Amino acid sequence: MDFDERLDKYAELIVYKGCALQGGQELYITAPLQTVDFTRRVVRTAYGAGARQVTVAWSDEVCARMTYDNAPLEVFETLEPWKAERSNSMVRRGAAILNILSEDPEVMTGVDQAKIIASARASHAACKEFYDALDFGRNVWCIAGASTPDWAGKVFPDLSEEEATRKLWDAIMDTARVDSDPCAAWDAHRATFDARKAWLNSQHLDALHYTASNGTDFTVGLLEKGRWEGGGQATADGTYFFPNIPTEEIFTSPDRMRADGIVHSALPLIYNGARVQDFWVRFEDGKAVECDAEVGRDVLQGIIDIDEGSCRLGECALIPYESPIRQTGILFLNTLYDENASCHLALGKGFPDCYEGGYDLDSEQLEQEGVNESATHVDFMIGTEDLCITGIKADGSEVPVFVDGTWAE
Ligand code: ZN
């Protein structure tokens, strides 16, 4: 299969498996200008699949950076109603939502964090209808990566622009299992997820205890009605889709009130183009109370301070150290990829689908049940080669979950 054919297979995977696009349905794509060639392939594929209308909202991170540098803080504190309506109206019409992702990992380095946080808050508030539709299983959604010179150049700084872009494309498609029949490969991928989830859900764990030689010694509480999810998920009306391509993680939303101890990072965290590296966070009663970092301490503290819920955990994800993404040996400098290379935790919002009956509750009810609520959700990677995770049941008995960075069984 040549490179061109492979790109088309990848577009097919995104449309048919990621978005599970149905005939007559709308597709709403957000994509960076630089991905125009690939995005056009996706649009063509979507119409081939019977899409009623495909709408593309183009973005440009270079212009966005200029706005952050020059516009006053107040500009970021509100989102103009027409911008919010563009997203909100799409979910109202039942569109599938696709985010084609490509980000220069350093494009926002040095930007005033107050502006980034204000912008995240304003968008969360104005586009609540949009985000709720995704979170509560009303619309399908998918995030998938595309290689661009600005991103690839940061991942492979020693290669020429052309070589770097091509090498990142290959890595993106390798980790997305793009072969001659990627849709079949993803059906098989789903089956392994389903077996792991069934085992974890049958254990009814009350807590997880993490330890590693880097100093990690941390216990997080799990909810009685919590559920382990991973692979794909179903909308409330039963459409099965894959929200992340690639994905290797099995995850749950922990008890927002129970996390104690210290966790050390295993990989850098890239947040809106700013890097946080070699850091740790200490928790008490579910709350991040102290942190430090060799690089980007202010960014990390900024994330913790975004709102009332951003100091608490919304996700615990399990990924074996030998995950195909870790195996590439590439640090993608992007959470969609790097989170699938390593066990991680996330500060901020929890997932309704990780709570029994969660789709029937609203955010406030979920929060009362112990699923965290926040305008943000930021993953950080803690999975080292020697990470051990022990499951603790309500009666105090212990079940090994991870030993030396991978599944205990
Ligand atoms: Zn995750």
Side-chain angles (χ1 to χ4, degrees), residues 306-322:
I306 287 176
D307 59 22
E308 269 180 36
S310 58
C311 61
R312 297 182 184 273
L313 294 172
E315 180 186 5
C316 298
L318 307 179
I319 296 101
Y321 193 79
E322 73 272 8

Side-chain angles (χ1 to χ4, degrees), residues 341-362:
S342 169
C343 282
H344 57 266
L345 302 171
L347 289 164
K349 194 172 178 56
F351 305 119
D353 60 311
C354 289
Y355 192 80
E356 223 179 281
Y359 282 163
D360 302 325
L361 304 176
D362 62 27

Side-chain angles (χ1 to χ4, degrees), residues 91-324:
V91 292
R92 218 176 289 144
R93 294 212 297 270
I97 308 299
L98 171 62
N99 179 10
I100 294 177
L101 183 120
S102 187
E103 197 177 71
D104 172 349
E106 289 168 13
V107 71
M108 296 299 165
T109 305
V111 166
D112 179 0
Q113 284 300 308
K115 291 182 182 175
I116 289 183
I117 288 162
S119 168
R121 262 194 210 136
S123 144
H124 184 77
C127 302
K128 189 174 186 333
E129 183 179 1
F130 177 83
Y131 291 116
D132 277 355
L134 275 45
D135 290 339
F136 289 91
R138 292 195 276 276
N139 292 67
V140 301
W141 56 279
C142 176
I143 307 176
S147 178
T148 54
D150 287 342
W151 178 15
K154 300 289 164 36
V155 180
F156 305 111
D158 300 331
L159 300 181
S160 72
E161 187 176 292
E162 196 182 336
E163 286 169 336
T165 308
R166 176 61 183 265
K167 190 165 177 181
L168 183 57
W169 262 129
D170 285 336
I172 285 171
M173 292 195 284
D174 289 347
T175 55
R177 300 161 192 253
V178 177
D179 57 13
S180 57
D181 191 356
C183 291
W186 277 71
D187 289 338
H189 194 30
R190 176 182 172 179
T192 59
F193 276 114
D194 288 349
R196 288 269 184 232
K197 286 191 290 190
W199 179 77
L200 274 167
N201 284 324
S202 73
Q203 296 298 310
H204 301 287
L205 301 174
D206 175 61
L208 297 175
H209 180 210
Y210 295 70
T211 51
S213 62
N214 63 8
T216 291
D217 186 354
F218 167 75
T219 302
V220 62
L222 301 178
L223 297 165
E224 213 184 310
K225 288 186 172 177
R227 293 189 50 80
W228 291 92
E229 287 293 338
Q233 65 190 61
T235 56
D237 68 8
T239 306
Y240 194 88
F241 66 104
F242 288 92
N244 286 183
I245 295 176
T247 187
E248 301 292 335
E249 58 174 339
I250 290 183
F251 56 93
T252 192
S253 288
D255 184 341
R256 64 190 292 276
M257 302 304 283
R258 289 192 294 150
D260 290 277
I262 192 163
V263 278
H264 286 257
S265 65
L267 289 169
L269 156 64
I270 309 294
Y271 179 70
N272 287 327
R275 185 190 276 245
V276 189
Q277 197 166 332
D278 298 320
F279 59 97
W280 56 262
V281 184
R282 193 168 65 78
F283 289 84
E284 255 177 47
D285 297 327
K287 206 171 158 179
V289 290
E290 197 185 353
C291 70
D292 202 5
E294 293 289 324
V295 177
R297 193 195 171 279
D298 61 321
V299 178
L300 180 58
Q301 189 64 55
I303 295 167
I304 291 171
D305 293 339
I306 287 176
D307 59 22
E308 269 180 36
S310 58
C311 61
R312 297 182 184 273
L313 294 172
E315 180 186 5
C316 298
L318 307 179
I319 296 101
Y321 193 79
E322 73 272 8
S323 121

